[in-house]
Amino acid sequence: MANGEDAIIRKKQLRSDSSTVNKRIAAVTAQKKRRQSGKRRMRQGMCFSLPAQEDPFNDKNMNLESKKTKKVLPLNEDNNLTGNSNTASQNKRKAAKDHKSNGQNQGQKKSRVEKESTLDDEGCPSKFLISCLKTVQDTMRDDEAFERGKPLFFDSWGFEYWRCYTRGTHVLETSGCATTKQIAWIGSTAVDTITNKELDGESFTGPYLLFIVPSQERAAQVRTVYKSLKLFGIHTVSLHSGASIDHQIHGLKACEPEFIVCTPDRLLELVSLDAVDISGVCSLIVDGLECSSGDAYADSVKSIQKHISVDLHTVVFCSGLTNAYSLAVSSLLSSPVCILSRDEICET
């Protein structure tokens, strides 16, 4: 009798253990599904197709989605038992047709890739760069600089700047201080370059872009534009005499920014304290280099350039150039230089 009770107790214990294991398996499975769902959402968020000028409503991509065909599953024994010979014959013919069609699709895909590569060689901004520009414009949609119904990526100055940047040609803008649109194009182009280099395995231990401005107020304006790019992992800090040195040193160590917007004197002070390493800066933007600033501003920029050891791309925004002051500008820019303005574009 005791043996029978013991057997019953063991069976109940086994059921209890089995139930616990099943619950644990169910919990783990649910957790995996949540993770996979999250990864799918991330991938879906990363995969996008932007509207183009010839396809403003993105109809082409929507049509491609609707035309996708379902894969034909191979017949198994159950299918053969439940289906008839005609169905099997039809499936075989369809499989052969799909195989032939797949070969044609592969050829078309290869042709499309070659065509896209040719377009890239001719000089077309990437979809990622366009996405950066759209993000800035959407974030700052209330800014008067952006015209409603006019996408930022159709800006002619921005496209010409991008062409100069990709060719490694330095830029002199003779229309004065940088506008919001110009700031957006410069930053978005830098983000595109950083992303491509990181995908190729390159890493950055210091700031990539250095935007020099004449005042604290101007630094705040530029940083406002670049805050939109934080969505793409780009951190921007503003360095000027309006904040304490200790606060700025702590901020530089805490976030390791990709972009720095600064007044030249404060930056030189921080460099002398080893608070920031600018030796690897690849893009230098000098804003507001006007005649009224005197030689001190240009001299400070020259001192900053001496701390940069790589072959960097330089952009200078200036207006009111005279023969005497053009010498100061030329000392900041090496050849070749592309002169851009809102009215005309020429190259020297």
Side-chain angles (χ1 to χ4, degrees), residues 176-178 210-219 222 239-240 260-268 284-305 314-319 325 328-329 331-332:
C177 294
L210 188 58
F211 206 116
I212 301 177
V213 293
S215 65
Q216 175 183 344
E217 292 75 20
R218 184 58 176 163
V222 176
L239 307 175
H240 48 75
I260 290 181
V261 183
C262 60
T263 53
D265 293 339
R266 175 49 59 97
L267 177 63
L268 287 171
L284 176 65
I285 317 299
V286 183
D287 187 42
L289 191 66
E290 310 295 339
C291 296
S292 57
S293 301
D295 296 332
Y297 189 71
D299 290 341
S300 297
V301 174
K302 291 178 188 177
S303 299
I304 290 171
Q305 285 180 318
T314 305
V315 182
V316 176
F317 287 88
C318 184
S319 67
Y325 200 71
V329 174
S331 66
L332 301 176

Side-chain angles (χ1 to χ4, degrees), residues 1 6 25 83 92 98 100-101 115 163 171 184 196 201 209 226 248 250 284 320:
M1 188 70 179
D6 290 343
I25 291 173
K92 287 180 180 179
D98 287 345
K100 182 179 180 181
S101 176
K115 183 177 180 181
R163 289 181 62 189
V171 175
N196 288 331
L209 180 142
Y226 288 157
Q248 292 177 349
H250 176 75
L284 176 65

Side-chain angles (χ1 to χ4, degrees), residues 190-191 194-195 226-227 229-236 258-259:
V191 176
I194 291 171
T195 304
Y226 288 157
K227 283 176 68 176
L229 298 174
K230 192 173 183 180
L231 178 67
F232 302 99
I234 299 298
H235 291 77
T236 304
E258 287 79 14
F259 289 2

Side-chain angles (χ1 to χ4, degrees), residues 33-100:
K33 287 182 178 179
R34 284 196 297 271
R35 289 178 179 174
Q36 290 172 355
S37 177
K39 290 179 180 178
R40 281 196 299 271
R41 285 195 296 271
M42 288 176 64
R43 288 195 293 267
Q44 290 167 358
M46 292 169 67
C47 299
F48 54 85
S49 182
L50 295 171
Q53 192 168 13
E54 62 275 8
D55 185 22
F57 296 100
N58 218 18
D59 293 331
K60 182 178 179 181
N61 292 311
M62 292 176 66
N63 292 335
L64 287 175
E65 287 293 327
S66 64
K67 291 180 180 178
K68 287 184 179 178
T69 57
K70 295 183 179 179
K71 292 182 179 179
V72 178
L73 297 176
L75 292 174
N76 54 27
E77 292 181 1
D78 293 335
N79 294 133
N80 289 333
L81 290 172
T82 57
N84 54 34
S85 59
N86 291 333
T87 304
S89 178
Q90 290 173 0
N91 281 325
K92 287 180 180 179
R93 285 197 299 270
K94 187 174 182 181
K97 183 178 179 181
D98 287 345
H99 179 74
K100 182 179 180 181

Side-chain angles (χ1 to χ4, degrees), residues 2-286:
N3 291 334
E5 291 179 354
D6 290 343
I8 293 172
I9 291 172
R10 282 196 298 272
K11 286 181 180 180
K12 289 183 178 180
Q13 187 174 1
L14 286 171
R15 291 195 193 100
S16 177
D17 292 342
S18 178
S19 177
T20 302
V21 171
N22 289 336
K23 289 179 181 178
R24 190 180 299 115
I25 291 173
V28 171
T29 302
Q31 186 176 10
K32 286 183 178 179
K33 287 182 178 179
R34 284 196 297 271
R35 289 178 179 174
Q36 290 172 355
S37 177
K39 290 179 180 178
R40 281 196 299 271
R41 285 195 296 271
M42 288 176 64
R43 288 195 293 267
Q44 290 167 358
M46 292 169 67
C47 299
F48 54 85
S49 182
L50 295 171
Q53 192 168 13
E54 62 275 8
D55 185 22
F57 296 100
N58 218 18
D59 293 331
K60 182 178 179 181
N61 292 311
M62 292 176 66
N63 292 335
L64 287 175
E65 287 293 327
S66 64
K67 291 180 180 178
K68 287 184 179 178
T69 57
K70 295 183 179 179
K71 292 182 179 179
V72 178
L73 297 176
L75 292 174
N76 54 27
E77 292 181 1
D78 293 335
N79 294 133
N80 289 333
L81 290 172
T82 57
N84 54 34
S85 59
N86 291 333
T87 304
S89 178
Q90 290 173 0
N91 281 325
K92 287 180 180 179
R93 285 197 299 270
K94 187 174 182 181
K97 183 178 179 181
D98 287 345
H99 179 74
K100 182 179 180 181
S101 176
N102 183 53
Q104 292 175 348
N105 290 338
Q106 291 297 327
Q108 292 172 355
K109 181 179 179 181
K110 182 179 179 181
S111 176
R112 185 170 65 252
V113 170
E114 291 174 352
K115 183 177 180 181
E116 289 174 353
S117 300
T118 303
L119 289 174
D120 288 338
D121 291 339
E122 291 175 358
C124 296
S126 69
K127 289 184 178 180
F128 181 74
L129 192 155
I130 294 172
S131 177
C132 293
L133 292 171
K134 187 177 184 301
T135 298
V136 174
Q137 187 167 9
D138 290 345
T139 305
M140 304 186 67
R141 56 183 174 271
D142 295 330
D143 193 298
E144 295 180 356
F146 299 114
E147 302 176 29
R148 293 187 180 276
K150 187 176 181 181
L152 181 55
F153 52 82
F154 288 140
D155 182 69
S156 58
W157 186 95
F159 183 75
E160 290 301 326
Y161 165 78
W162 177 84
R163 289 181 62 189
C164 293
Y165 179 88
T166 54
R167 292 198 303 260
T169 306
H170 304 293
V171 175
L172 173 61
E173 166 58 73
T174 60
S175 301
C177 294
T179 65
T180 303
K181 290 181 180 180
Q182 291 170 328
I183 294 170
W185 263 96
I186 290 170
S188 297
T189 302
V191 176
D192 185 46
T193 303
I194 291 171
T195 304
N196 288 331
K197 288 182 179 294
E198 288 179 341
L199 288 173
D200 291 337
E202 188 173 345
S203 60
F204 299 93
T205 57
Y208 181 90
L209 180 142
L210 188 58
F211 206 116
I212 301 177
V213 293
S215 65
Q216 175 183 344
E217 292 75 20
R218 184 58 176 163
Q221 293 172 0
V222 176
R223 185 174 180 270
T224 299
V225 179
Y226 288 157
K227 283 176 68 176
S228 310
L229 298 174
K230 192 173 183 180
L231 178 67
F232 302 99
I234 299 298
H235 291 77
T236 304
V237 298
S238 179
L239 307 175
H240 48 75
S241 58
S244 68
I245 285 283
D246 292 337
H247 174 73
Q248 292 177 349
I249 290 175
H250 176 75
L252 288 167
K253 291 181 179 179
C255 70
E256 297 182 350
E258 287 79 14
F259 289 2
I260 290 181
V261 183
C262 60
T263 53
D265 293 339
R266 175 49 59 97
L267 177 63
L268 287 171
E269 191 174 1
L270 289 166
V271 169
S272 66
L273 295 172
D274 293 328
V276 60
D277 180 12
I278 62 172
S279 60
V281 167
C282 298
S283 184
L284 176 65
I285 317 299
V286 183

